[in-house]
Amino acid sequence: MTSSSDRSPAVDVPSSKTYEVRTYGCQMNVHDSERLSGLLEEAGYVPAPEGSDGDADVVVFNTCAVRENADNRLYGNLGRLAPRKTSRPGMQIAVGGCLAQKDRDTIVKKAPWVDVVFGTHNIGKLPILLERARVQEEAQVEIAESLEAFPSTLPTRRESAYAAWVSISVGCNNTCTFCIVPALRGKEKDRRTGDILAEIETLVGEGVSEITLLGQNVNAYGSDIGDREAFSKLLRACGAIEGLERVRFTSPHPRDFTDDVIAAMAETPNVMPQLHMPLQSGSDTVLKAMRRSYRQERYLGIIEKVRAAIPHAAITTDIIVGFPGETEEDFEQTMHVVREARFTQAFTFQYSKRPGTPAATMENQIPKEVVQARYERLVALQEEISWEENKKQVGRTLELMVAEGEGRKDGATHRLSGRAPDNRLVHFTKPDQEVRPGDVVTVEITYAAPHHLLAEGAVLDVRRTRAGDAWEKRNAAAVPAGVMLGLPKIGVPEPLPAATGGCAAH
């Protein structure tokens, strides 16, 4: 579960010390939390039992700064832990992530019981900072201004045995007026292609059969190394890795979505027919105010090309409603794009001010009631389209990768859940033979709802996989029942992004 090519210095940790990581925000934060967990386990900590809710010896908050009330949420959670820390000598609290990078010394001033504050660029220092705080008996605040080590060189405690995030870049070169992330995570820095492929090959050797390439602007990969076709080449190289069954990526930017990427998606069998392409707005006027370097015609042109090359592709998006200055005509342009693009799913957000962004001080902020009304109209339209698009899947025979923890009602319905190649969630009848997460089943779709599909008949085929073996081996290992990370379940990743509007949604 834990591997590294760049070990942290030894830290003296008393035996049986527990930790909990609480993660907020985008996929990049989820992936960073896997690194933080790996670092802590390598330093001798063990995961706190499920449901411990702050009873761990070390509680780490991996924060997000893209929401207006992100700081209120953090300080509220820190306040609830203060009396517990007072009554539990030796307990430590650490705060990292984007909000820590932004607020720095403010956190310790507002919550002096916090022991460690670290930023987005130096997550590898967490165990050392915890030890230093313990020995010196004072808070340690250390914020690096640039990346100290690429996160993928750090130890990792991955939540899934069969699906994994693989970071290909960090940072972002865009200047979207609603987003503070570039200021907190810095300019784009790309990993060497050889290092990425080596990590993927190692993961596949350990039983992983699905990977998601991750970057804050994932398809801009190559700009840091001077190769505009580097991303499409990377996709094709993934196609040559034996045992790698599914490749996904998130989130691309329309500006950098070139024809060579579409060709690579269509021609590489293990690159899945799925695309998450943030729209944000359908209005050229609003896109200009957002500093999004594309317009409606360009966006719809990409969708048309993708559908021509990959007819069964499922396309999802992000949309912000009520950006400053958005008129009713602007909003209708967004509705037009939604009707034309026919997204499988749209992650819709009501605009909220992100402190420190240009949009936060723009004139013509839209009244809350107007934003709410537009939001409800957009959600209703997209719900209708999602259901219509899902109904087209009825009667199709699909291969599903069996997922863990995706069907909350599976126990009551005697079903299991899995992801289709296009990442649609499918609940299917539990077969008589054993099926493990990571295995592959073949089913016929019998019913469609707006956000999931059902396969109510008998499973047509079960293929036991090395990924299923890896899941079984991991769960049979000497890890006490009920012990888990304080991380979101990622398994086969949910329709991405799980949290958007900022860090990895450009």
Side-chain angles (χ1 to χ4, degrees), residues 86-137:
T86 300
S87 64
R88 183 170 181 164
M91 179 182 178
Q92 291 184 296
I93 300 172
V95 179
C98 288
L99 193 64
Q101 187 79 21
K102 181 172 77 75
D103 285 356
R104 309 183 181 216
D105 295 326
T106 304
I107 293 173
V108 174
K109 290 177 182 177
K110 289 187 175 181
W113 54 92
V114 169
D115 298 277
V116 171
V117 179
F118 62 101
T120 59
H121 299 307
N122 63 333
I123 64 176
K125 289 288 187 66
L126 176 59
I128 296 172
L129 294 172
L130 288 167
E131 176 69 2
R132 193 185 298 165
R134 184 180 69 84
V135 172
Q136 298 181 8
E137 297 184 342

Side-chain angles (χ1 to χ4, degrees), residues 17-22 45-49 52-60 81 84-85 88 90-93:
K17 279 233 174 186
T18 60
Y19 76 90
E20 176 188 349
V21 178
R22 299 187 184 185
Y45 296 87
V46 298
S52 60
D53 191 27
D55 279 335
D57 295 296
V58 171
V59 179
V60 182
L81 284 185
R84 193 167 302 176
K85 188 172 190 292
R88 183 170 181 164
M91 179 182 178
Q92 291 184 296
I93 300 172

Side-chain angles (χ1 to χ4, degrees), residues 293-490:
S293 47
Y294 57 89
R295 299 295 178 260
Q296 180 189 118
E297 183 178 5
R298 159 75 172 157
Y299 186 93
L300 288 174
I302 293 171
I303 302 299
E304 184 178 357
K305 288 180 179 180
V306 170
R307 289 239 162 87
I310 315 167
H312 289 300
I315 301 175
T316 58
T317 196
D318 301 321
I319 300 173
I320 297 173
V321 178
F323 188 81
E326 179 189 75
T327 65
E328 179 63 23
E329 183 180 353
D330 292 325
F331 177 69
E332 283 296 340
Q333 289 298 307
T334 296
M335 297 283 275
H336 169 71
V337 174
V338 170
R339 292 186 188 98
E340 291 292 311
R342 299 197 65 80
F343 300 113
T344 305
Q345 190 171 7
F347 299 88
T348 53
F349 303 90
Q350 297 185 38
Y351 172 77
S352 61
K353 294 180 180 179
R354 276 73 160 179
T357 63
T361 56
M362 285 182 176
E363 296 180 354
N364 298 320
Q365 300 283 328
I366 310 300
K368 169 67 176 175
E369 60 272 16
V370 175
V371 177
Q372 180 68 33
R374 290 176 183 170
Y375 174 81
E376 290 174 2
R377 287 162 57 196
L378 176 60
V379 168
L381 173 62
Q382 182 56 52
E383 193 89 349
E384 178 184 333
I385 292 172
S386 294
W387 199 358
E388 290 173 355
E389 292 300 307
N390 273 0
K391 287 176 181 176
K392 295 177 182 178
Q393 302 297 308
V394 174
R396 291 190 67 195
T397 299
L398 300 176
E399 276 198 338
L400 312 179
M401 181 176 288
V402 181
E404 181 178 25
E406 296 242 42
R408 286 173 291 181
K409 298 179 181 178
D410 283 350
T413 58
H414 303 290
R415 293 177 178 142
L416 297 175
S417 298
R419 291 281 173 181
D422 64 10
N423 215 29
R424 281 181 167 94
L425 177 63
V426 182
H427 305 301
F428 62 95
T429 301
K430 188 174 183 179
D432 293 334
Q433 65 192 103
E434 180 189 20
V435 179
R436 308 158 301 177
D439 286 341
V440 175
V441 298
T442 303
V443 301
E444 181 179 335
I445 304 302
T446 58
Y447 175 81
H451 303 293
H452 69 268
L453 303 171
L454 291 182
E456 299 163 298
V459 169
L460 303 177
D461 183 61
V462 175
R463 176 164 62 87
R464 292 173 68 86
T465 65
R466 291 174 59 252
D469 294 343
W471 180 89
E472 187 171 11
K473 179 180 179 182
R474 177 165 171 167
N475 281 269
V479 178
V483 173
M484 60 169 288
L485 299 181
L487 286 170
K489 286 280 187 183
I490 63 170

Side-chain angles (χ1 to χ4, degrees), residues 174-194:
N174 293 315
T175 58
C176 301
T177 55
F178 56 80
C179 183
I180 198 172
V181 170
L184 302 180
R185 288 192 177 264
K187 293 292 186 181
E188 180 177 327
K189 184 173 180 60
D190 297 333
R191 287 179 74 190
R192 290 178 60 251
T193 303

